[in-house]
Amino acid sequence: MTAPGSRPGTLAFVGLGVMGSPMAIHLQRAGYAVRGYNRTVTKAAELVRAGGKGCASIAEAVTGADVVCLMVPASEDVQRVLLGAGGVVETASPGTVVIDFSSIRPEVARDLAERGARCGLRMVDAPVSGGEAGAVEATLSIMVGGVAADVEAARPVLETVGQTVVHVGASGSGQTVKAANQLIVAANLQVLAEAVVFLEAYGVDLDAALEVLGGGLAGSAVLDQKRDNLRERSFAPGARMALHHKDLGAYADAARAAGVVSLLGALVTELMASAIACGDHDLDHAALIRGVDRLNGHALPTD
């Protein structure tokens, strides 16, 4: 078993998409021997070019690994990777640290941690914030749930891919904080979109307006990262609308279970659902501004 705080030799990384691929590459370059797996095999190409290994199955990647990392889209995918035939629970050795970077429902994370613990696995839920840019630059904010000793064992990996790493509580707590994060980001994006359309209606110098707003109390990381998307209506996905909508669903379910009233949460969830119904699911979540444009009768380039 890897000692807490030590650097493991071999690391399996399952899920080499927009976020997972740069994270795996950072880990390879930091000295870990990374074995990557993705259902679309060609997505391992960048990791292989960085010196890692592409694997043909989860079992091939996981067998003998000191640490297993997951970055897959949804709760069902995490369950499949962990519990399915040839999955992590079946192939990982007792004592293996399993870090789930995916954003999933808190109750699923708690259940999987309990199942993993019964098999001797050290489960840590560690969803991230920062989007593709944060993954590429290794500046992610990581909210971590799990047993303190397991979190410390995972910390060298977490601090390789993230800039802000905070243990927020027991298993599932990382996912709970991520749900709150997604509420805040969605609400911020929506109100920024409305502000941009308002400023445009008055013919204000938009670059200058966003610069001064960003320097005051209205400033935010969302404004810093998404101002170009909003101003230029450019929506190459750094964080896809469909995944953010999925996360808001997890937030809504958790809020309902706790008896928490969330008026803005309900509103932004419906606005994002509307965007998806209009075909914007594969666009960056900054495409919420397209919904504001629609409500104001503005023609959209792809409509």
Side-chain angles (χ1 to χ4, degrees):
M1 183 173 70
T2 304
S6 66
R7 171 163 291 188
T10 304
L11 185 148
F13 206 109
V14 179
L16 300 172
V18 169
M19 300 289 289
S21 179
M23 293 168 72
I25 289 169
H26 281 304
L27 290 161
Q28 176 66 32
R29 289 174 176 166
Y32 296 84
V34 179
R35 302 193 301 230
Y37 169 78
N38 199 86
R39 282 188 295 180
T40 303
V41 177
T42 54
K43 289 189 176 181
E46 291 295 325
L47 173 62
V48 171
R49 277 192 284 272
K53 178 183 178 182
C55 295
S57 67
I58 294 170
E60 182 185 352
V62 169
T63 301
D66 299 287
V67 172
V68 176
C69 297
L70 281 64
M71 178 55 101
V72 295
S75 297
E76 296 74 18
D77 300 297
V78 175
Q79 291 168 320
R80 174 183 56 80
V81 169
L82 286 173
L83 305 177
V88 175
V89 167
E90 187 176 292
T91 56
S93 302
T96 302
V97 175
V98 180
I99 306 171
D100 182 18
F101 290 115
S102 316
S103 296
I104 65 174
R105 298 191 301 275
E107 72 276 11
V108 174
R110 288 191 293 270
D111 175 69
L112 291 173
E114 291 173 2
R115 293 192 186 203
R118 289 198 292 268
C119 299
L121 302 182
R122 306 173 69 181
M123 302 285 297
V124 172
D125 54 289
V128 306
S129 180
E132 181 182 8
V136 170
E137 297 165 11
T139 57
L140 294 166
S141 179
I142 309 178
M143 43 226 80
V144 191
V147 176
D150 298 343
V151 173
E152 289 310 304
R155 191 170 291 276
V157 172
L158 301 173
E159 292 182 345
T160 299
V161 298
Q163 188 173 62
T164 302
V165 178
V166 181
H167 183 198
V168 296
S171 296
S173 297
Q175 300 296 347
T176 301
V177 176
K178 179 59 186 287
N181 179 88
Q182 296 302 79
L183 167 68
I184 294 167
V185 172
N188 204 336
L189 281 169
Q190 178 64 27
V191 77
L192 282 171
E194 293 182 15
V196 166
V197 172
F198 168 73
L199 292 167
E200 289 172 339
Y202 276 89
V204 172
D205 182 330
L206 190 56
D207 284 339
L210 293 176
E211 180 181 354
V212 71
L213 289 171
L217 191 57
S220 68
V222 177
L223 174 55
D224 291 343
Q225 290 189 27
K226 300 297 181 178
R227 69 173 63 190
D228 290 343
N229 302 83
L230 295 168
R231 184 184 66 239
E232 299 169 8
R233 307 304 199 269
S234 60
F235 307 117
R240 285 199 302 125
M241 185 84 74
L243 292 178
H244 201 146
H245 182 250
K246 176 263 298 180
D247 293 341
L248 287 177
Y251 167 79
D253 289 345
R256 187 180 304 111
V260 172
V261 176
S262 182
L263 299 180
L264 286 177
L267 177 59
V268 293
T269 298
E270 290 303 310
L271 289 167
M272 201 164 279
S274 174
I276 289 171
C278 290
D280 293 345
H281 53 283
D282 282 333
L283 301 182
D284 187 85
H285 51 184
L288 279 172
I289 197 171
R290 286 166 56 84
V292 180
D293 282 331
R294 290 186 187 100
L295 289 171
N296 283 278
H298 300 167
L300 301 181
T302 58
D303 278 2

